[in-house]
Amino acid sequence: MKKIISIIALTGITILACKTSVANKNELNLIFTSKSDSNVTGTANFTEKNGVVTFTAKMNGLSPGEHAIHIHEKSDCSAADGSSAGGHWNPTFKKHGKWGDAEYHKGDIGNFNADANGNGTIKFATSEWCIGCEDETKNILGKGLIVHKGTDDFTSQPAGNAGARQACSAIIK
């Protein structure tokens, strides 16, 4: 009888541990659509674990070179040029800039490179974002993700002069 009780207790602990690890992880997988008559497409993944959101985007159809990517105010990708996503997500009302500098928008992810075949990847992690939390200065749900034709110069206001919006994805569950 003692062996049966021990097995049940051990099984209960194992199940509880599995539930806890799943509860501490939140994930979104997104697909980009082309905008501004481009052929740019790709995927994005946001994973939140233990208070840190890791973001990875894989893009194709880009011109070789550097491109900007930002989180924008709205999860609306309906406009042909991506303008329906609004401006950069800036819940703390800071000036546009480079992530980690004195001032930057929470949506100022930065630049990444596309190779000679037009493929590019960016990976970024921060504790300044969350997926669906109550803190509106951190919550990325309901926002848009935009890939730009050019590079972010990190100084031009309000958006870094990154050029046309070539791909858009809504950050929604």
Side-chain angles (χ1 to χ4, degrees), residues 20 23 55 106 126 173:
T20 302
F55 162 73
K106 293 274 183 112
T126 181
K173 284 191 174 188

PDB file of all heavy atoms in Angstrom, residues 20 23 55 106 126 173:
ATOM      1  N   THR A  20       3.718  23.961 -14.378  1.00  0.00           N
ATOM      2  CA  THR A  20       4.448  25.171 -14.020  1.00  0.00           C
ATOM      3  C   THR A  20       5.344  25.621 -15.165  1.00  0.00           C
ATOM      4  O   THR A  20       5.358  26.785 -15.521  1.00  0.00           O
ATOM      5  CB  THR A  20       5.282  24.941 -12.747  1.00  0.00           C
ATOM      6  OG1 THR A  20       4.395  24.555 -11.705  1.00  0.00           O
ATOM      7  CG2 THR A  20       6.016  26.190 -12.344  1.00  0.00           C
ATOM      8  N   ALA A  23       3.235  27.099 -17.889  1.00  0.00           N
ATOM      9  CA  ALA A  23       2.638  28.371 -17.477  1.00  0.00           C
ATOM     10  C   ALA A  23       3.633  29.519 -17.548  1.00  0.00           C
ATOM     11  O   ALA A  23       3.246  30.659 -17.741  1.00  0.00           O
ATOM     12  CB  ALA A  23       2.084  28.252 -16.059  1.00  0.00           C
ATOM     13  N   PHE A  55      12.687  37.353 -29.502  1.00  0.00           N
ATOM     14  CA  PHE A  55      12.076  37.606 -30.800  1.00  0.00           C
ATOM     15  C   PHE A  55      13.022  37.120 -31.881  1.00  0.00           C
ATOM     16  O   PHE A  55      14.220  37.411 -31.849  1.00  0.00           O
ATOM     17  CB  PHE A  55      11.827  39.115 -30.947  1.00  0.00           C
ATOM     18  CG  PHE A  55      11.600  39.572 -32.353  1.00  0.00           C
ATOM     19  CD1 PHE A  55      10.420  39.290 -33.009  1.00  0.00           C
ATOM     20  CD2 PHE A  55      12.571  40.301 -33.013  1.00  0.00           C
ATOM     21  CE1 PHE A  55      10.217  39.720 -34.311  1.00  0.00           C
ATOM     22  CE2 PHE A  55      12.381  40.743 -34.303  1.00  0.00           C
ATOM     23  CZ  PHE A  55      11.193  40.450 -34.958  1.00  0.00           C
ATOM     24  N   LYS A 106       9.886  51.623 -27.462  1.00  0.00           N
ATOM     25  CA  LYS A 106       9.850  50.180 -27.168  1.00  0.00           C
ATOM     26  C   LYS A 106       9.752  49.380 -28.465  1.00  0.00           C
ATOM     27  O   LYS A 106      10.062  48.199 -28.495  1.00  0.00           O
ATOM     28  CB  LYS A 106       8.672  49.844 -26.258  1.00  0.00           C
ATOM     29  CG  LYS A 106       8.797  50.422 -24.863  1.00  0.00           C
ATOM     30  CD  LYS A 106       9.593  49.513 -23.956  1.00  0.00           C
ATOM     31  CE  LYS A 106       9.644  50.065 -22.558  1.00  0.00           C
ATOM     32  NZ  LYS A 106       8.919  49.280 -21.599  1.00  0.00           N
ATOM     33  N   THR A 126      14.581  40.724 -24.702  1.00  0.00           N
ATOM     34  CA  THR A 126      14.434  41.836 -23.763  1.00  0.00           C
ATOM     35  C   THR A 126      13.437  41.504 -22.658  1.00  0.00           C
ATOM     36  O   THR A 126      12.488  40.754 -22.874  1.00  0.00           O
ATOM     37  CB  THR A 126      13.975  43.123 -24.487  1.00  0.00           C
ATOM     38  OG1 THR A 126      13.875  44.179 -23.528  1.00  0.00           O
ATOM     39  CG2 THR A 126      12.627  42.940 -25.171  1.00  0.00           C
ATOM     40  N   LYS A 173      -2.805  36.822 -30.957  1.00  0.00           N
ATOM     41  CA  LYS A 173      -2.862  35.377 -30.675  1.00  0.00           C
ATOM     42  C   LYS A 173      -3.841  34.724 -31.610  1.00  0.00           C
ATOM     43  O   LYS A 173      -4.774  35.297 -32.064  1.00  0.00           O
ATOM     44  CB  LYS A 173      -3.284  35.125 -29.225  1.00  0.00           C
ATOM     45  CG  LYS A 173      -2.156  35.399 -28.277  1.00  0.00           C
ATOM     46  CD  LYS A 173      -2.509  34.897 -26.892  1.00  0.00           C
ATOM     47  CE  LYS A 173      -1.294  35.060 -25.993  1.00  0.00           C
ATOM     48  NZ  LYS A 173      -1.454  34.457 -24.725  1.00  0.00           N
TER      49      LYS A 173
END
